[in-house]
Amino acid sequence: MRAVVHDRYGPPEVLRVAEVERPVPKEGEVLVSVHASTVTRSDTGLRSAEYPFTRLITGIRRPKRTIAGWEFAGCVEDIGAAVTDFRVGDEVFGIEGGATAEYVAVRESGVIAQKPTGLTYEEAAAVPDGSLLALTCLRRASPLRGKSVLVYGAAGSIGTGAVQLLARHFEAEVSAVCDTKDVERVGSLGARDVLDRLREDFTKTGATYDVIFDAVGKHSFRRCRRSLKPRGIYISVDLGFMYHVPLVALTTRFLGSKRAKLGIGRYRKDDLLLIKELVDTGKYRPVIDRTYALDEIVEATRYVESGQKTGNVVLHVRASPEPYI
Ligand SMILES: NC(=O)c1ccc[n+]([C@@H]2O[C@H](COP(=O)([O-])OP(=O)(O)OC[C@H]3O[C@@H](n4cnc5c(N)ncnc54)[C@H](OP(=O)(O)O)[C@@H]3O)[C@@H](O)[C@H]2O)c1
């Protein structure tokens, strides 16, 4: 099968499309014929070993897993003997390491679910990463119902997920900050008001919020502090300059009424099922910026690394759905 592989850490150019062995599903696994995958910031961070400590998990000298990618949408091609929840021909989506390939084997109990019926494979592939990371990071400020929440970096993958989840799942009052080109799109996701970060600095408007969610890790707690209400919570998705966010989080546990927290995203099956339900009921929709062919992996990755994408970047893995009898 064709897959995007990288044998070493480095720039986008270490990625290439190669022929590799097709996985065989084990007892409790399903084999998914992948139609669409994505390039995420997690992919780029792990490939470049942006944070050197991630090598403790991914491989010290070279990557242990050579096939790239996490998000997938496709069709179940084969199932292991112990699989009960999926059948050959099911349309599925989810998260699994090594997903940017024509086939990926996924544990039935893993982060995989039936694809929302109203979405194409390309649209479905763009859902799990941003939505699940936003959901798990935002839970750190629960309960959120009726709270005023500002999302900074609202046009990114996590940001567009956060705005929709806050407005339509958590029932919070969302203010969003993004760049001029994304104001209209972000407004359509349920934000009560959208600030153009190139024209206005939200820390200087005098408005205060119960929660500030920095969905791109570009605004420090120190700069956001005055924009937080008493007992307000700041959450960042990033460790920050010199990894200071965990330290500030620890300090604010004991000093002052305003808290800083590090949002650590997690991928969980139960949450994917929740997101599927939100998509099926019209409360969540994928935001796609560009779609690339598998062979354009280097170009797609360079674009994602520019930090300028709106929502998600999709990879077209298989030309058209194969008929299943
Ligand atoms: N905590 C976790 O568990 C976890 C997991 C995965 C990833 N992450 C991190 O989460 C971050 C966001 O991921 P993502 O996939 O959502 O990113 P993304 O989609 O690449 O974010 C792109 C958006 O960021 C905005 N942006 C870029 N520079 C900005 C700046 N200086 N100020 C404000 N906005 C800026 C851009 O908006 P404009 O058009 O406004 O420039 C663009 O729309 C990444 O840093 C990633 O490493 C965290």
Side-chain angles (χ1 to χ4, degrees):
M1 67 168 186
R2 276 156 51 86
V4 169
V5 299
H6 66 118
D7 309 314
R8 58 190 171 94
Y9 298 111
E13 291 71 23
V14 301
L15 294 164
R16 65 193 161 85
V17 177
E19 277 294 329
V20 300
E21 213 170 300
R22 177 171 150 172
V24 176
K26 298 193 186 103
E27 266 218 327
E29 289 182 343
V30 301
L31 181 70
V32 179
S33 160
V34 178
H35 289 270
S37 185
T38 61
V39 181
T40 66
R41 291 295 291 273
S42 305
D43 293 323
T44 64
L46 293 177
R47 188 217 67 245
S48 62
E50 180 185 333
Y51 292 116
F53 63 80
T54 59
R55 291 185 186 218
L56 294 173
I57 298 161
T58 60
I60 303 284
R61 294 188 59 211
R62 52 188 71 245
K64 284 190 256 184
R65 178 185 286 129
T66 51
I67 303 180
W70 288 89
E71 286 180 300
F72 66 86
C75 205
V76 174
E77 173 97 358
D78 195 4
I79 56 172
V83 170
T84 54
D85 290 349
F86 295 94
R87 290 189 307 181
V88 171
D90 281 355
E91 297 186 335
V92 293
F93 76 134
I95 298 252
E96 178 64 42
T100 305
E102 287 182 321
Y103 296 91
V104 64
V106 189
R107 273 176 301 111
E108 174 180 41
S109 58
V111 188
I112 179 170
Q114 303 288 343
K115 176 174 82 64
T117 45
L119 298 188
T120 63
Y121 288 119
E122 282 74 16
E123 289 169 335
V127 169
D129 181 70
S131 62
L132 297 181
L133 293 178
L135 185 66
T136 43
C137 288
L138 287 169
R139 282 202 185 115
R140 301 221 63 201
S142 288
L144 286 157
R145 195 171 185 182
K147 297 258 179 77
S148 56
V149 183
L150 179 128
V151 179
Y152 186 77
S157 176
I158 299 176
T160 52
V163 171
Q164 297 187 74
L165 290 170
L166 284 163
R168 299 172 185 148
H169 171 61
F170 289 112
E171 297 177 7
E173 306 215 324
V174 195
S175 299
V177 182
C178 62
D179 154 353
T180 320
K181 69 179 184 348
D182 294 317
V183 166
E184 208 177 310
R185 200 158 190 193
V186 169
S188 76
L189 301 176
R192 185 185 54 175
D193 54 297
V194 186
L195 280 82
D196 180 344
R197 75 177 176 93
L198 303 181
R199 291 167 194 259
E200 208 170 4
D201 180 346
F202 79 88
T203 62
K204 300 208 169 111
T205 61
T208 54
Y209 306 89
D210 293 306
V211 178
I212 295 176
F213 179 47
D214 183 352
V216 282
K218 300 283 185 193
H219 236 286
S220 67
F221 173 69
R222 194 167 60 85
R223 284 168 68 199
C224 292
R225 203 183 162 136
R226 264 183 299 158
S227 307
L228 279 172
K229 290 183 179 169
R231 289 185 297 284
I233 299 173
Y234 158 91
I235 305 170
S236 175
V237 295
D238 200 83
L239 292 166
F241 179 65
M242 303 277 284
Y243 306 163
H244 75 280
V245 173
L247 190 66
V248 176
L250 186 68
T251 315
T252 58
R253 278 183 78 158
F254 304 105
L255 292 175
S257 78
K258 299 175 184 177
R259 293 278 306 270
K261 296 188 180 192
L262 176 65
I264 299 171
R266 289 185 63 195
Y267 302 131
R268 296 179 50 227
K269 189 185 187 79
D270 284 355
D271 288 337
L272 186 68
L273 293 169
L274 167 67
I275 297 296
K276 172 186 156 42
E277 193 186 312
L278 294 175
V279 175
D280 284 337
T281 52
K283 292 182 176 169
Y284 193 95
R285 64 170 195 258
V287 177
I288 296 174
D289 185 336
R290 297 183 185 179
T291 301
Y292 291 85
L294 197 64
D295 290 308
E296 296 173 307
I297 183 65
V298 172
E299 199 180 332
T301 303
R302 281 197 200 117
Y303 181 55
V304 171
E305 278 189 7
S306 75
Q308 298 305 307
K309 73 177 160 70
T310 303
N312 302 278
V313 165
V314 173
L315 288 169
H316 208 69
V317 179
R318 193 168 291 263
S320 60
E322 289 170 355
Y324 282 87
I325 302 160

